[in-house]
Amino acid sequence: LVWKDVKILKGGRRTLEFVCAAPEDRALFVQIDGGAKTKIDVKATGGSFVPVTLDVDLAEGVHAVRLSNATGWAPDVDLMRIR
């Protein structure tokens, strides 16, 4: 899943929030602009969608945020936002 055209007007520390559901423990890997992947562990949610977050430094400009899991199922992602 790629979240394209993420526009940051002023660079700095941001929190990426992903609202996810997972029937069992799953992992979500987050990659910004082709950089290193960061793993987020998502515990089983019992059918509910819950927020998981990742703090990142983002420079001013337009970015692409890629979500993946090459080794298993990723959680279901309902929504992504920047805080």
Side-chain angles (χ1 to χ4, degrees):
L1 175 63
V2 180
W3 184 13
K4 296 180 182 180
D5 301 322
V6 177
K7 187 174 183 179
I8 302 298
L9 298 177
K10 181 180 178 188
R13 194 77 167 161
R14 300 288 190 278
T15 298
L16 301 181
E17 180 181 51
F18 307 99
V19 178
C20 303
E24 68 274 328
D25 293 354
R26 294 184 176 181
L28 181 66
F29 291 86
V30 180
Q31 183 181 34
I32 299 171
D33 298 329
K37 293 179 182 177
T38 301
K39 182 181 179 187
I40 300 174
D41 290 312
V42 179
K43 299 294 182 188
T45 64
S48 298
F49 281 87
V50 299
V52 294
T53 61
L54 176 65
D55 292 327
V56 297
D57 289 312
L58 290 173
E60 180 180 324
V62 178
H63 302 277
V65 179
R66 180 178 301 275
L67 308 179
S68 65
N69 185 336
T71 61
W73 288 96
D76 298 328
V77 178
D78 180 55
L79 129 76
M80 301 179 283
R81 72 175 130 217
I82 299 174
R83 296 193 174 263

